[in-house]
Amino acid sequence: MVKKRQLLLDAALALFEEHGFAHTTIQMILDLSGVSKGTFYKFFSSKDDCILAIMEQRMQEDVQIRKNLETQSYASEFDLLVDQLAVPMTLPEKQRIQVLFWIGLYSGEFDSAELAGMQLKWLSERLVHLYGEEIRPYAYEGAILCYGMLYQIANTYRIYRLNEPLWKELVPKVLVYTDILLRSMQARHEHIFDSHSLSQISSQEVHHLTDKNTLITDLQAFDRMVQQSREPATTKELTRGLLFLLQQDETNRTLLQVVLQAFQREFETNVFYPEARRIQNQMEWYLEQIN
């Protein structure tokens, strides 16, 4: 079943690239993948759900890339952030997803608010860490401007069929200009977004992503399904253990990550895989944000 899900995702990605999201139908995905309609709906509720699954999968890979880079030695936090932004953009598979992500975000063809919120949350915190707490009130706007410049650069290169951008040279320049804009906003006490819009961007979406109580509720519902199933005792104990760790007042991030890895392996070939994968993604996003 896991292989069929990946076949669907690979076929959908190829079709979204060739025909665009709006002009790709579920039947086209089924024809290219060779997977039945019934199997498609076991994994995805809609075409939107399918493209979001593609992006979630790649975003988790980005999270791991960023974490791996943090273990390396850098001369400065600036150099680390440059690589955290540039390295994923140099990988062919990432470039394909980034095009779809930004097109979807700007066109509104599908709802990518949660994924955008995750990206903006991460970069805004990195900008605060790099440039200081004094820019925090403007950090989300800085993240939007930074990603916006990177997207427009990538889009311009693509439209004019230029050679691939040298991201490790371009990203530092974009970060420098982002810093200049942030300092100017701070000096003027001036925001680009009105307070209501900024509150929606920086608080409501992120709160939804980082709400521990919601994660606990979701995991409790999942645990009930597993406990009532015919799954082995080890599978049931693993799910119950993950729930127990999440319910603790003080989050043991290291232990949660270890158990989450075991959770992922346990459910990879399991009938509960789609729901387990969703739980895993939410948990990893939560852990990423409390880092």
Side-chain angles (χ1 to χ4, degrees):
M1 291 295 282
V2 176
K3 289 183 179 179
K4 289 185 178 181
R5 184 178 187 274
Q6 194 59 50
L7 282 173
L8 287 165
L9 293 177
D10 292 342
L13 176 56
L15 290 167
F16 292 151
E17 287 182 297
E18 183 178 355
H19 302 287
F21 177 76
H23 297 291
T24 297
T25 65
I26 291 177
Q27 188 59 52
M28 290 166 67
I29 297 172
L30 300 179
D31 292 342
L32 184 59
S33 66
V35 177
S36 70
K37 182 180 289 188
T39 301
F40 178 92
Y41 283 108
K42 284 182 181 178
F43 294 118
F44 313 111
S45 61
S46 63
K47 187 174 66 170
D48 291 57
D49 194 26
C50 184
I51 194 170
L52 290 176
I54 293 171
M55 293 184 179
E56 285 176 2
Q57 190 178 73
R58 297 307 194 275
M59 187 173 288
Q60 290 308 313
E61 293 169 3
D62 286 354
V63 168
Q64 193 57 52
I65 288 172
R66 295 199 296 255
K67 288 180 179 177
N68 291 342
L69 290 171
E70 288 173 359
T71 65
Q72 299 180 20
S73 178
Y74 283 90
S76 67
E77 285 292 324
F78 183 88
D79 292 338
L80 169 59
L81 182 54
V82 167
D83 269 9
Q84 287 179 320
L85 289 170
V87 169
M89 299 181 78
T90 63
L91 303 175
E93 284 298 307
K94 302 298 180 186
Q95 293 166 7
R96 300 168 70 196
I97 300 302
Q98 285 160 2
V99 171
L100 284 175
F101 175 78
W102 289 110
I103 288 174
L105 180 64
Y106 283 102
S107 68
E109 284 187 333
F110 52 87
D111 185 4
S112 55
E114 286 194 8
L115 298 176
M118 180 65 183
Q119 294 283 59
L120 292 173
K121 168 68 175 176
W122 171 77
L123 183 54
S124 66
E125 288 298 327
R126 293 294 288 120
L127 291 174
V128 170
H129 186 70
L130 182 62
Y131 297 127
E133 281 292 329
E134 63 271 17
I135 63 97
R136 182 175 290 280
Y138 311 95
Y140 263 87
E141 289 158 302
I144 292 167
L145 291 168
C146 183
Y147 276 134
M149 284 188 278
L150 292 173
Y151 166 73
Q152 285 302 134
I153 290 170
N155 198 38
T156 301
Y157 271 77
R158 186 170 59 254
I159 289 172
Y160 290 98
R161 294 180 172 82
L162 304 175
N163 293 331
E164 182 62 28
L166 299 175
W167 289 113
K168 287 199 175 185
E169 294 180 7
L170 287 171
V171 169
K173 297 175 183 178
V174 169
L175 284 174
V176 167
Y177 282 111
T178 300
D179 182 27
I180 292 171
L181 290 168
L182 283 168
R183 300 300 176 188
S184 177
M185 292 165 65
Q186 181 190 2
R188 293 167 175 263
H189 302 287
E190 184 176 73
H191 288 277
I192 296 173
F193 289 85
D194 62 83
S195 58
H196 176 70
S197 298
L198 189 58
S199 175
Q200 286 187 305
I201 295 167
S202 63
S203 299
Q204 294 180 10
E205 294 297 339
V206 173
H207 176 72
H208 172 73
L209 285 170
T210 57
D211 186 354
K212 184 177 180 179
N213 290 331
T214 299
L215 286 178
I216 290 174
T217 300
D218 285 351
L219 189 51
Q220 284 173 331
F222 180 75
D223 179 61
R224 284 194 294 271
M225 288 193 300
V226 173
Q227 300 303 327
Q228 293 169 7
S229 72
R230 296 183 179 180
E231 293 299 316
T234 53
T235 303
K236 296 179 179 181
E237 290 170 3
L238 186 59
T239 306
R240 185 60 55 84
L242 186 62
L243 176 60
F244 173 79
L245 288 174
L246 186 61
Q247 289 174 322
Q248 302 308 299
D249 292 336
E250 187 171 337
T251 301
N252 187 327
R253 194 172 186 277
T254 302
L255 186 54
L256 261 175
Q257 286 179 320
V258 171
V259 176
L260 194 58
Q261 288 175 358
F263 178 85
Q264 177 186 0
R265 291 192 298 269
E266 186 72 21
F267 284 95
E268 276 181 343
T269 57
N270 188 287
V271 67
F272 292 109
Y273 174 80
E275 184 64 13
R277 177 65 179 176
R278 186 185 68 81
I279 294 289
Q280 178 196 343
N281 285 340
Q282 292 291 337
M283 288 286 293
E284 288 177 345
W285 289 355
Y286 171 71
L287 292 174
E288 170 76 2
Q289 291 174 87
I290 65 172
N291 185 17

